[in-house]
Amino acid sequence: MSQSLIFDMDGTLFQTDKILELSLDDTFAYLRSKSEWNTDTPIDKYREIMGAPLPKVWETLLPDHSRKVREEVDSYFLERLVENIRNGNGSLYPNVKEIFRYLKENNCSIYIASNGLVEYLKAIVKYYNLDHWVTETFSIQQIDSLNKSDLVQSIIKKYDITKGAVIGDRLSDINAAKDNGLVSIGCNFDFAQEAELSQANFVIDDLIELQTLLPNISG
């Protein structure tokens, strides 16, 4: 059952919502303190675009603000996310370590491909000791196009992957699999949308389901 499994991070391995509201509230409180925002934190609007690269997030949430302000907000938000991770306010989804252990025992290679920023991903991997199982973690920051399909392609090229799957909760993960000739496995978790999941080859409700699903996949 030798396979290469490429996992998304937010909404797939890491329960981002545990620190999302905290960090976003902190960020917009910061904006309010600078008289750059005067209403409530747009948490619902952010949830709608969850999984998009952060530059695109700030373009959506702060369409009338300058690039300088967006870059400042991006930096501050990252600081708050990392601090909340280090303080133990986040959480992995159920059975992440269990399925990683199972996959490694069955000769599978594990990678992470995320729209999250490098420092953010490092904080999660370090806090939860994921590098015990994960070969390498890749950030969208490493790709000029900010395209998940291109990020997955870079992993495939680096590790000469010919067979495997992309596991994630959003359409960008499903398309990244399809665009690169891999199997797509949709995660029906917090931020997932039914219309997007319907385009995946398989859909799971818990990561532990990969134990029975993977032997039936021909990548």
Side-chain angles (χ1 to χ4, degrees):
M1 195 185 66
S2 177
Q3 295 262 10
S4 293
L5 287 302
I6 302 173
F7 288 83
D8 176 44
M9 178 66 89
D10 293 316
T12 299
L13 298 176
F14 186 67
Q15 296 187 55
T16 316
D17 58 329
K18 301 270 187 178
I19 62 168
L20 174 62
E21 195 163 343
L22 283 172
S23 303
L24 209 63
D25 273 340
D26 288 345
T27 302
F28 278 84
Y30 172 73
L31 280 174
R32 284 189 284 268
S33 74
K34 295 173 64 69
S35 300
E36 292 282 358
W37 192 261
N38 57 14
T39 58
D40 294 337
T41 301
I43 185 69
D44 290 336
K45 191 169 186 180
Y46 184 80
R47 286 180 181 276
E48 292 175 8
I49 55 173
M50 179 67 194
L54 279 176
K56 297 185 183 299
V57 167
W58 302 125
E59 287 176 14
T60 302
L61 298 186
L62 303 171
D64 301 321
H65 290 69
S66 67
R67 176 179 291 183
K68 181 180 178 181
V69 169
R70 290 177 193 159
E71 289 175 350
E72 186 177 347
V73 166
D74 190 65
S75 178
Y76 187 85
F77 183 60
L78 176 61
E79 289 176 10
R80 299 312 307 150
L81 285 171
V82 169
E83 189 64 23
N84 278 313
I85 292 164
R86 289 173 177 166
N87 288 339
N89 292 324
S91 180
L92 296 177
Y93 276 96
N95 298 314
V96 168
K97 292 188 176 182
E98 289 79 2
I99 195 61
F100 277 6
R101 189 177 300 114
Y102 172 83
L103 293 174
K104 293 300 286 186
E105 289 173 353
N106 285 274
N107 198 33
C108 290
S109 299
I110 301 171
Y111 307 91
I112 293 173
S114 171
N115 282 338
L117 301 181
V118 171
E119 290 305 313
Y120 166 72
L121 297 172
K122 281 183 179 178
I124 297 173
V125 170
K126 182 177 180 180
Y127 187 85
Y128 296 102
N129 298 310
L130 296 183
D131 54 3
H132 182 70
W133 301 281
V134 176
T135 300
E136 189 172 352
T137 298
F138 294 79
S139 164
I140 201 71
Q141 273 185 300
Q142 298 167 241
I143 298 295
D144 290 337
S145 67
L146 298 181
N147 185 291
K148 193 67 163 288
S149 294
D150 293 341
L151 184 62
V152 167
Q153 183 182 63
S154 72
I155 300 172
I156 290 172
K157 287 183 177 179
K158 180 172 182 177
Y159 288 97
D160 195 24
I161 295 170
T162 58
K163 181 179 178 183
V166 177
I167 300 99
D169 65 316
R170 299 307 303 267
L171 186 59
S172 60
D173 303 302
I174 295 167
N175 285 339
K178 292 182 177 180
D179 291 343
N180 288 286
L182 300 179
V183 174
S184 57
I185 302 175
C187 297
N188 188 23
F189 299 167
D190 295 315
F191 302 104
Q193 297 181 14
E194 186 176 350
E196 295 183 356
L197 291 179
S198 67
Q199 299 185 49
N201 295 122
F202 302 93
V203 176
I204 58 175
D205 296 309
D206 190 301
L207 289 168
I208 207 68
E209 294 175 42
L210 291 173
Q211 289 186 359
T212 54
L213 181 60
L214 284 179
N216 300 318
I217 295 174
S218 55

